[in-house]
Amino acid sequence: MSFSSMSKANVRRHVLEKNKVLKEKEKPAQSSLSKNLKRIYPIGLQRSGSSLSLSSLSLSWSQNSNDSSLADSTTPLDQKISLALRLIAPPERREAPVDKNAKQQSQDTGTGELKRCNWVTKNSDQVYVAFHDECWGVPVYDDSQLFELLAMSGMLMDYNWTEILKRRELFREAFSGFDPNVVAKMGEKEITDIASNKAIMLSESRVRCILDNAKCILKIVREFGSFSSYMWGYVNHKPVINRYKYPRNIPLRTPKAEALSKDLIKHGFRLVGPVIVCSFMQAAGLTIDHLVDCYRYGECVGLAERPWRHI
């Protein structure tokens, strides 16, 4: 065998041994990769054509992090995977702790009752408790329902919520379900009948005010498409979520309520001062003002953040 042939054989043998050593070194990394990927995806990876590949994991790195170490080729593979796992893990820490209050918090009395805003007491009338639990702070997008809540908020000039809510069905019957198209067409006879009804307890001036507001709503509908679009436009079509811990922190009027009140008056509405409008916004869910430790806070926030909300 010539020197040249021996040299070639030696070179070939050297190359084969080197490749063998490299393959042995790659096995732990591949094993580590497979083990860590199974923590992410509880199914086997396909050789090709699978979205659950290292390339898709790399996409998580590039889209979800600004950490330059993820793109550093000198970073150990296990460290990269560890970082990627943290990036794509469910964002448990981002959840508002108040969400845990929903449906599970109890009163300090140990009676097992749900924790509510502390202005709802054991002496509160059941109709008021039901309004707090089912309606107050729930986003409303129906024109008739918004009209009803605006009218009832205006009645706070004369009565409290409990007194108003006890006569709610009577109001609905008298004002045809607060359909603005019907209410706007009511005449003197309807005004007299409603004002003379002692069970309803509304003065003639208050009745006329509600009728006039119905006519204003029809003008709003012609200009903005719906009363709902107009109202929700003042909060950019997304409820304002507040985080009040104590009743004393909740303002009687807000800048948004003042701006809306001013514009409502400009459009001819009556009984729509800033305090009344602020109460209306709370009731209609334009603002979420449940106290943060109330079980309804998390539920109303969830409704406020729903992806299918009205736009």
Side-chain angles (χ1 to χ4, degrees), residues 81 191 292:
I81 293 175
I191 294 174
V292 293

Side-chain angles (χ1 to χ4, degrees), residues 121-303:
T121 69
K122 62 181 180 180
N123 296 321
S124 296
D125 192 283
Q126 187 54 43
V127 69
Y128 182 67
V129 177
F131 181 64
H132 168 274
D133 291 358
E134 300 168 12
C135 304
W136 200 73
V138 175
V140 175
Y141 304 107
D142 179 78
D143 282 6
S144 295
Q145 293 178 22
L146 288 169
F147 179 28
E148 177 185 32
L149 289 173
L150 184 63
M152 291 199 302
S153 297
M155 296 175 195
L156 291 171
M157 291 285 292
D158 306 307
Y159 306 104
N160 60 41
W161 272 117
T162 298
E163 293 170 327
I164 294 168
L165 293 168
K166 283 184 175 181
R167 302 197 296 277
R168 190 174 192 176
E169 291 305 320
L170 293 174
F171 296 143
R172 287 174 173 173
E173 183 179 352
F175 294 103
S176 302
F178 287 94
D179 182 339
N181 293 287
V182 177
V183 177
K185 296 176 182 178
M186 287 183 174
E188 291 300 320
K189 183 180 183 304
E190 288 86 355
I191 294 174
T192 303
D193 289 344
I194 296 173
S196 61
N197 189 328
K198 294 182 179 180
I200 293 178
M201 296 175 62
L202 280 182
S203 65
E204 182 178 323
S205 62
R206 297 295 190 236
V207 175
R208 290 186 182 278
C209 178
I210 292 174
L211 268 60
D212 289 344
N213 286 350
K215 295 174 183 177
C216 293
I217 288 176
L218 296 185
K219 294 178 182 178
I220 290 288
V221 171
R222 288 194 291 270
E223 183 176 352
F224 294 89
S226 70
F227 189 45
S228 176
S229 295
Y230 167 77
M231 283 294 185
W232 283 96
Y234 266 84
V235 290
N236 295 321
H237 301 281
K238 183 178 180 180
V240 176
I241 301 174
N242 295 311
R243 292 181 56 84
Y244 298 123
K245 294 181 64 177
Y246 309 104
R248 64 175 179 269
N249 298 139
I250 303 177
L252 290 175
R253 53 197 292 169
T254 65
K256 285 186 181 295
E258 290 175 353
L260 179 53
S261 170
K262 184 177 180 180
D263 201 54
L264 285 168
I265 293 172
K266 180 180 177 181
H267 280 87
F269 285 81
R270 299 165 59 192
L271 276 185
V272 287
V275 176
I276 288 176
V277 170
C278 188
S279 294
F280 160 76
M281 294 177 73
Q282 292 170 333
L286 277 80
T287 60
I288 308 300
D289 279 350
H290 282 281
L291 300 181
V292 293
D293 62 350
C294 173
Y295 89 98
R296 284 294 289 162
Y297 179 82
E299 294 179 350
C300 288
V301 168
L303 290 173

Side-chain angles (χ1 to χ4, degrees), residues 26-65:
E26 289 176 356
K27 286 182 179 180
Q30 292 173 349
S31 176
S32 175
L33 173 62
S34 177
K35 179 180 178 181
N36 283 282
L37 285 176
K38 285 179 180 179
R39 291 169 57 192
I40 307 170
Y41 307 112
I43 59 177
L45 294 177
Q46 302 296 325
R47 285 182 178 273
S48 62
S50 171
S51 61
L52 307 180
S53 62
L54 186 58
S55 62
S56 66
L57 186 58
S58 298
L59 183 63
S60 296
W61 293 341
S62 63
Q63 290 185 340
N64 297 305
S65 177

